[in-house]
Amino acid sequence: MYLENLETDRPALPGLAQAKRSLSAEFLFVSQEASVGFAAEACIEVLRAANRLTGRETYGWRHLCGEDGLDALDGPLCDPGQVLVLIGGMDRVWRPDAARLKVLRGAIRNAARVCVVGAAVFVPLEAGVVGAKRLAVHPNFRHGVEELCGGLELEQAATCHHKALSSAISPAAAMRMMVELVGARDGEFTRAALSRYLGLSEPEGDTGAGEHWRYKRMAQGDEVIGEALQIMQEHLEDTLTVGQIADLLEVSPRKLERGFRELLKQSPLRVYRDMRLERVYRLLEQTAMPLGEVSVACGFSNVTLMKRWFQHKYGVRPEAVRRHAFGGSCAA
């Protein structure tokens, strides 16, 4: 359950191999009250985005909102393989009553890792199960924390990760904490991509979309494959052949094909098509462009071909996505 300090500006984290258990992919969120439930949903959106970017349903979650969520429990609150995330606000100290504190104490002891946000910092302190000596604490709560536990080192930062405890000073900082945890589990490339994707850091030029990032991550830094993916991203409308891409990279088509199959487990044409279909989906969701224009804008020679590949990839017809975009669930 030990996690070395997460220094997110470093691509390599010493001791991370020993932290695999505490870096679980299953999360249980418990909110102090309904008014801070939004922060749990924002953290869950980080996990959804991580699943989208990596192309795998790696992360799972459950959210219990407020005291009613705790009271409705039938059985243990937290499994040993879960990360417990306690989310409090910035105004009112979270001091559960004796019965709820007993439930939360058991969950904290049982969890693979514990994360506290805002006022939730008081829960493990009250329960007497802190397990770490460094915490990020909101200025509103620093005096109270120091009074409860004088031996703690209070970080001058929005987030902190020490041993099996992560902390964020506020609901807004909770998203950053979650991105850092995902990065510690899935790598610095994923952390940086996720941060830009969510708008938590400034974009660096054309960051591409989900499929682009997913395949770029799979390329593991291979320069030729990375440049090929960037060329594809920049030419979604005027589809290039494998030979043309290879010429731009000054490599043979055979070498390019082999690299894609070894690293991405797909042919260049399949990868290119996935990226173009993702743009089709975004245009159907976000614009009123006719299907014919969407087809042209995404490099398909005709609408029929686009429809066939779209349904093959997403399991729905393009028309259904367009109806849902304008009518919501009632139009499905």
Side-chain angles (χ1 to χ4, degrees), residues 11 31 62 69 76 86 108-109 124 132 156 162 171 179 182-184 187 207 233 240-241 255 261 292 331:
S31 302
R62 185 162 63 104
L86 303 175
I108 292 169
R109 286 174 170 164
Q156 299 291 328
H162 186 239
V179 169
V182 169
T207 57
Q233 182 66 27
L240 303 176
T241 66
K255 179 178 179 179
R261 293 198 180 277

Side-chain angles (χ1 to χ4, degrees), residues 215 229 260 264 266-275:
Y215 283 123
L229 290 170
F260 268 70
L264 308 187
Q266 304 285 356
S267 69
L269 290 179
R270 170 67 182 273
V271 171
Y272 208 172
R273 187 172 66 233
D274 280 349
M275 293 167 67

Side-chain angles (χ1 to χ4, degrees), residues 172-253:
M175 289 185 73
R176 176 178 166 184
M177 176 186 72
M178 294 297 296
V179 169
E180 290 165 358
L181 288 173
V182 169
R185 191 177 191 278
D186 281 334
E188 170 63 14
F189 180 87
T190 298
R191 186 207 63 79
L194 186 58
S195 183
R196 289 194 290 270
Y197 183 79
L198 292 167
L200 298 177
S201 62
E202 292 298 322
E204 299 174 4
D206 183 7
T207 57
E211 291 287 359
H212 176 241
W213 276 116
R214 179 168 73 89
Y215 283 123
K216 193 170 180 182
R217 178 177 179 270
M218 292 172 66
Q220 300 178 19
D222 184 279
E223 186 175 353
V224 171
I225 302 301
E227 289 183 6
L229 290 170
Q230 188 61 40
I231 290 171
M232 291 176 178
Q233 182 66 27
E234 293 169 357
H235 293 82
L236 294 179
E237 182 174 344
D238 49 344
T239 310
L240 303 176
T241 66
V242 175
Q244 288 172 321
I245 297 172
D247 287 343
L248 289 171
L249 295 172
E250 298 182 346
V251 299
S252 70

Side-chain angles (χ1 to χ4, degrees), residues 105-315:
R105 181 186 291 113
I108 292 169
R109 286 174 170 164
N110 208 29
R113 182 170 197 79
V114 177
C115 304
V116 293
V117 176
V121 69
F122 288 95
V123 177
L125 294 178
E126 293 279 351
V129 285
V130 179
K133 294 298 183 184
R134 293 171 59 186
L135 285 168
V137 178
H138 194 278
N140 289 351
F141 304 131
R142 293 180 76 89
H143 294 304
V145 169
E146 288 171 342
E147 184 177 334
L148 270 176
C149 193
L152 289 174
E153 180 182 344
L154 304 186
E155 289 286 295
Q156 299 291 328
T159 63
C160 177
H161 308 269
H162 186 239
K163 295 190 176 180
L165 181 67
S166 293
S167 50
I169 65 171
S170 68
M175 289 185 73
R176 176 178 166 184
M177 176 186 72
M178 294 297 296
V179 169
E180 290 165 358
L181 288 173
V182 169
R185 191 177 191 278
D186 281 334
E188 170 63 14
F189 180 87
T190 298
R191 186 207 63 79
L194 186 58
S195 183
R196 289 194 290 270
Y197 183 79
L198 292 167
L200 298 177
S201 62
E202 292 298 322
E204 299 174 4
D206 183 7
T207 57
E211 291 287 359
H212 176 241
W213 276 116
R214 179 168 73 89
Y215 283 123
K216 193 170 180 182
R217 178 177 179 270
M218 292 172 66
Q220 300 178 19
D222 184 279
E223 186 175 353
V224 171
I225 302 301
E227 289 183 6
L229 290 170
Q230 188 61 40
I231 290 171
M232 291 176 178
Q233 182 66 27
E234 293 169 357
H235 293 82
L236 294 179
E237 182 174 344
D238 49 344
T239 310
L240 303 176
T241 66
V242 175
Q244 288 172 321
I245 297 172
D247 287 343
L248 289 171
L249 295 172
E250 298 182 346
V251 299
S252 70
R254 183 180 180 125
K255 179 178 179 179
L256 194 61
E257 290 267 5
R258 186 168 61 248
F260 268 70
R261 293 198 180 277
E262 287 177 356
L263 291 171
L264 308 187
K265 312 305 179 187
Q266 304 285 356
S267 69
L269 290 179
R270 170 67 182 273
V271 171
Y272 208 172
R273 187 172 66 233
D274 280 349
M275 293 167 67
R276 290 186 287 127
L277 287 169
E278 183 179 39
R279 175 175 281 186
V280 171
Y281 204 112
R282 298 293 174 242
L283 291 178
L284 291 172
E285 276 191 319
Q286 300 169 21
T287 77
M289 290 173 62
L291 290 186
E293 292 183 18
V294 171
S295 174
V296 172
C298 299
F300 289 93
S301 57
N302 59 72
V303 176
T304 302
L305 184 65
M306 181 193 76
K307 286 182 176 181
R308 186 170 77 237
W309 285 119
F310 188 91
Q311 187 160 4
H312 179 77
K313 178 173 175 61
Y314 294 109

Side-chain angles (χ1 to χ4, degrees), residues 32-166:
Q32 178 182 8
E33 53 197 7
S35 64
V36 294
F38 74 93
E41 295 304 318
C43 290
I44 289 170
E45 183 55 34
V46 173
L47 300 179
R48 286 197 187 98
N51 283 343
R52 287 194 292 269
L53 284 183
T54 59
R56 303 189 306 268
E57 293 299 312
T58 299
Y59 294 96
W61 54 82
R62 185 162 63 104
H63 178 204
L64 300 179
C65 189
E67 294 180 346
D68 291 342
L70 284 176
D71 295 343
L73 277 174
D74 182 17
L77 172 60
C78 186
D79 295 331
Q82 288 182 308
V83 176
L84 175 65
V85 186
L86 303 175
I87 297 185
M90 295 185 293
D91 300 315
R92 186 170 67 85
V93 171
W94 187 359
R95 286 197 171 101
D97 61 28
R100 296 186 180 104
L101 186 61
K102 181 179 179 181
V103 173
L104 290 167
R105 181 186 291 113
I108 292 169
R109 286 174 170 164
N110 208 29
R113 182 170 197 79
V114 177
C115 304
V116 293
V117 176
V121 69
F122 288 95
V123 177
L125 294 178
E126 293 279 351
V129 285
V130 179
K133 294 298 183 184
R134 293 171 59 186
L135 285 168
V137 178
H138 194 278
N140 289 351
F141 304 131
R142 293 180 76 89
H143 294 304
V145 169
E146 288 171 342
E147 184 177 334
L148 270 176
C149 193
L152 289 174
E153 180 182 344
L154 304 186
E155 289 286 295
Q156 299 291 328
T159 63
C160 177
H161 308 269
H162 186 239
K163 295 190 176 180
L165 181 67
S166 293

